[in-house]
Amino acid sequence: MSALHPQGEAYLAREQAFGVPFSKIYGPAYPGGETLPREMTMTDFLTTLEAMIQ
C-alpha cells in the first residue's frame, strides 16, 4: 500500500476527511468548496455541479 504525500495528509486533516475517496468542487459561488458524499452517485455530482453554476 502506498503512503499519502505529507501535503495530501495535511489537506485531508484540514478538511476533517478520513481518507480517500475525498471529492470537493470549488467555484466562484463556493470559494470554500462543496464536499461531495464519500459514496457519491452521478446525481450527487451533477446536483452539486449545477448548484455551483447557478
Side-chain angles (χ1 to χ4, degrees):
M1 181 159 72
S2 61
L4 283 175
H5 189 279
Q7 288 178 318
E9 287 185 32
Y11 176 75
L12 290 174
R14 282 193 310 275
E15 295 294 329
Q16 298 178 354
F18 302 103
V20 292
F22 178 75
S23 302
K24 191 167 187 176
I25 298 176
Y26 296 85
Y30 293 88
E34 184 71 23
T35 303
L36 295 163
R38 182 179 282 281
E39 295 184 21
M40 174 176 38
T41 65
M42 184 57 77
T43 301
D44 293 329
F45 174 75
L46 294 174
T47 300
T48 304
L49 189 59
E50 190 172 289
M52 292 284 175
I53 60 174
Q54 297 290 333

